[in-house]
Amino acid sequence: RKLVGKLSTGCVEFDEMMGGGIDTQSITEMYGEFGSGKTQVAHQLAVNVQLPQEQGGLNGSVIIIDTENTFRPERIEQMVAGLSERFGMEYDYEEFLKNIRVARAFNSNHQILLVDSALELANELKDAEKPVKLIIVDSLTAHFRAEYIGRGTLADRQQKLNKHLHGLQRFGDLNNACVVVTNQVMSKPDAFFGDPTKPIGGHIVGHTATFRLYLRKSKGDKRIVRLVDSPNLPDGEAIISVTTPGLRD
Ligand code: GTP
Ligand code: MG
């Protein structure tokens, strides 16, 4: 087992709550309502992971499994410009974009298969300048939620999700990479998925994800990130701002 790496979020409070940053070899689940900032944090991590360790990165590249077509290259450009503000040096946006490989998942089975493709790609890039150090699944649960409707399909869905998460955990272990997944919670009660404040996928996701982050909106661009039920860190909250040049304290 390799030493666990830490990926900085670029936010002091957020990093501190996580014991220094997002861990490699673990699954970190971000859950929250629409607009709570899950996709924004994911974009920022896709940028930060490429930085050298002294700037909080893992000198790596990233694979994004995009299930809702919410990846925005122009956000990466803005966030890379934001890095220049933070560190007072120039960065090449094109280089950053090159190191983000985005795969669209058309349904839940395809999404699961894409983890195998990601494993192959990461293996090819093992000795590259920037090996894959982060895999993002945004959203982990949207396809599952759309496809498995009705009580009779619940066990099936959980079994598939479980298999998917095991594949992702394996990816994190084999590549000493961070695994970040998003999961929407409903603002209104849902007939099939029960408690609106609980993430979709409930128990299984809950048991597999090592770090669970509950995001919620606050005033203006502020977001509250809560670390929930971590096995080795105290529960806590961090306030971040989602701004055009990226995440800020
Ligand atoms: P769902 O995927 O719908 O569940 O939501 P999410 O949690 O992924 O939300 P997302 O990360 O997409 O957050 C969207 C919010 O981020 C917007 O409502 C804005 O508040 C903020 N945001 C997105 N892009 C920008 C930007 O370019 N500049 C600024 N200042 N804020 C932005
Ligand atoms: Mg999103």
Side-chain angles (χ1 to χ4, degrees), residues 32-43 68 70 75 78 138-139 182-185 215 217 220-221 223 242-246:
E33 270 185 53
F34 72 94
S36 58
K38 304 179 292 293
T39 297
Q40 294 303 310
V41 176
H43 277 68
E68 297 182 297
T70 52
R75 279 302 278 143
Q78 292 166 337
D138 185 13
S139 139
T182 71
N183 194 357
Q184 202 185 54
V185 295
L215 275 66
K217 290 179 230 180
D221 62 13
R223 300 289 187 278
V242 177
T243 74
T244 299

Side-chain angles (χ1 to χ4, degrees), residues 4-179:
V4 170
K6 296 273 183 185
L7 169 58
S8 172
T9 64
C11 304
V12 175
E13 265 191 12
F14 192 173
D15 280 353
E16 275 173 6
M17 179 175 76
M18 299 301 290
I22 308 286
D23 276 15
T24 61
Q25 302 174 49
S26 289
I27 298 176
T28 300
E29 177 195 6
M30 298 192 282
Y31 66 102
E33 270 185 53
F34 72 94
S36 58
K38 304 179 292 293
T39 297
Q40 294 303 310
V41 176
H43 277 68
Q44 185 71 64
L45 294 174
V47 168
N48 292 358
V49 73
Q50 303 186 39
L51 293 169
Q53 279 180 13
E54 57 272 21
Q55 291 179 341
L58 296 169
N59 197 32
S61 58
V62 50
I63 294 172
I64 300 180
I65 299 178
D66 184 5
T67 76
E68 297 182 297
N69 204 13
T70 52
F71 176 72
R72 293 287 173 271
E74 54 276 21
R75 279 302 278 143
I76 300 300
E77 186 168 16
Q78 292 166 337
M79 287 176 174
V80 171
L83 287 182
S84 303
E85 262 172 43
R86 275 183 64 205
F87 296 111
M89 53 188 279
E90 287 306 309
Y91 297 88
D92 182 1
Y93 147 70
E94 304 269 350
E95 277 300 311
F96 277 80
L97 208 54
K98 248 187 247 167
N99 291 317
I100 302 174
R101 291 173 179 83
V102 184
R104 294 249 2 237
F106 299 107
N107 55 52
S108 64
N109 282 327
H110 184 217
Q111 183 178 328
I112 293 169
L113 285 175
L114 282 175
V115 180
D116 294 334
S117 315
L119 272 167
E120 282 172 30
L121 179 60
N123 208 32
E124 282 167 29
L125 293 172
K126 264 232 143 81
D127 301 313
E129 201 185 324
K130 283 191 162 42
V132 183
K133 287 291 167 191
L134 169 64
I135 187 166
I136 292 167
V137 186
D138 185 13
S139 139
L140 177 76
T141 44
H143 281 315
F144 290 90
R145 189 182 143 68
E147 292 165 27
Y148 295 84
I149 32 181
R151 293 230 173 260
T153 65
L154 219 67
D156 251 12
R157 189 193 68 186
Q158 293 304 80
Q159 198 190 359
K160 280 280 175 69
L161 255 177
N162 202 13
K163 179 186 165 194
H164 188 32
L165 285 162
H166 276 104
L168 288 166
Q169 179 65 55
R170 189 159 166 265
F171 185 97
D173 291 342
L174 287 174
N175 295 290
N176 193 16
C178 302
V179 181

